[in-house]
Amino acid sequence: MRMLAGVFALFILIGADGRGFAQQSDLVIGTEGSYPPFNFTDASGNLQGFDIDIAKALCVKLQANCRFVAQDWEGLIPALLSKKIDAIVASMSITEERMKVVAFTQRYYRTPARFVAPKSSHITDTSPDGLAGKSLGAQSSTIHAKYLEEHYQESTIKLYGSHDTAMLDLAAGRIDAVLVQSTAVYDWLNKTPEGACCEFVGEPLSDPAYFGLGAGIAVRKEDEALREQLNQAIDAIRADGTYQQINAKYFPFSIY
């Protein structure tokens, strides 16, 4: 996916309508583009998904001219720090490790991690002992990958460049289970022929020490004014019903 070449200036001004929202020139938002239903590229090459809709709603509140850039997951934080983008809206979990290098807004959603396995596997015990000897998948450079590497050392861990590739390998029988954010596979399990093969197994995993405090918007640490303006905008779209409308477009349950 192409990286937007220019670095756009960001100007924070006080909104003239008294709401205190930011009024900005070009605000460049980075996302992954391969994590449906949160962010993905449609047949016309346009970015779509929950993350994208939330970001667009926030841009309306900020009165900002937002440009979206698709970037490989592992390159998102480097792109932010090098000022190629101004914010990351890509279902990035708020973790202590990431907060060492970037700042986060409050969460804009939170869901537990789950293992997904073929229905024919009859897996019920997803503890490290229960999955010893199994081949387990996750997207690389994610909290799920780190959790597997730290706790499932008796299993074979296979990491993927994208969430979609991991699920395709699971459906093809090349791995035994995938650890993933539960809502990220909701559509795949319930609405696709490939997903009919599989199901959630074991209990949800939500320990904040490993899985963070929910998904937040990452900005550079020095951009405190932008972080605060985004927090105000998140509060605003939840208060006026915009958030709930976007939520209902993708899920029949609240993910906040």
Side-chain angles (χ1 to χ4, degrees):
M1 296 180 183
R2 295 178 60 188
M3 169 61 71
L4 196 64
V7 179
F8 295 88
L10 175 65
F11 302 96
I12 304 296
L13 302 173
I14 300 299
D17 59 1
R19 292 177 299 173
F21 292 131
Q23 194 169 14
Q24 333 240 357
S25 68
D26 295 318
L27 181 63
V28 185
I29 297 177
T31 194
E32 183 183 12
S34 59
Y35 193 58
F38 290 94
N39 57 79
F40 60 94
T41 304
D42 65 17
S44 300
N46 298 313
L47 285 166
Q48 304 285 352
F50 179 86
D51 287 332
I52 307 305
D53 287 356
I54 289 292
K56 288 179 177 178
L58 296 177
C59 289
V60 170
K61 294 297 183 185
L62 293 172
Q63 302 178 42
N65 230 353
C66 290
R67 302 169 184 261
F68 289 85
V69 176
Q71 164 74 55
D72 289 344
W73 174 259
E74 293 182 353
L76 282 169
I77 289 180
L80 178 67
L81 297 179
S82 63
K83 300 187 177 181
K84 293 179 180 178
I85 59 177
D86 299 306
I88 298 171
V89 186
S91 293
M92 184 169 283
S93 297
I94 304 166
T95 65
E96 291 290 339
E97 184 174 354
R98 289 177 181 143
M99 285 192 288
K100 293 175 183 177
V101 292
V102 300
F104 281 98
T105 64
Q106 63 178 291
R107 79 174 195 268
Y108 63 96
Y109 80 87
R110 178 168 57 195
T111 56
R114 297 290 302 271
F115 279 101
V116 179
K119 294 174 182 177
S120 59
S121 71
H122 304 297
I123 291 174
T124 56
D125 182 0
T126 55
S127 68
D129 287 341
L131 294 179
K134 301 288 188 183
S135 177
L136 308 179
Q139 185 176 3
S140 62
S141 299
T142 63
I143 54 177
H144 309 99
K146 182 178 180 182
Y147 187 78
L148 290 180
E149 290 175 327
E150 290 187 1
H151 294 275
Y152 289 79
Q153 297 178 4
E154 299 303 315
S155 302
T156 299
I157 309 302
K158 187 172 182 181
L159 302 182
Y160 296 84
S162 74
H163 162 265
D164 287 347
T165 307
M167 303 317 293
L168 288 174
D169 259 14
L170 180 67
R174 289 188 280 269
I175 52 177
D176 297 306
V178 171
L179 183 62
V180 67
Q181 182 197 116
S182 56
T183 47
V185 293
Y186 177 81
D187 280 356
W188 187 78
L189 289 173
N190 292 282
K191 300 179 182 180
T192 69
E194 296 85 2
C197 67
C198 302
E199 63 185 354
F200 289 124
V201 294
E203 295 299 317
L205 301 171
S206 57
D207 184 347
Y210 294 102
F211 298 102
L213 302 172
I217 299 171
V219 298
R220 290 180 289 275
K221 286 190 173 185
E222 62 266 28
D223 290 338
E224 178 62 19
L226 175 59
R227 189 183 75 86
E228 286 302 318
Q229 298 290 347
L230 286 166
N231 277 333
Q232 289 182 43
I234 291 170
D235 288 340
I237 65 170
R238 283 187 48 75
D240 70 10
T242 302
Y243 181 96
Q244 291 80 356
Q245 291 175 6
I246 296 171
N247 190 133
K249 177 180 175 181
Y250 295 95
F251 307 104
F253 48 83
S254 174
I255 66 169
Y256 185 76

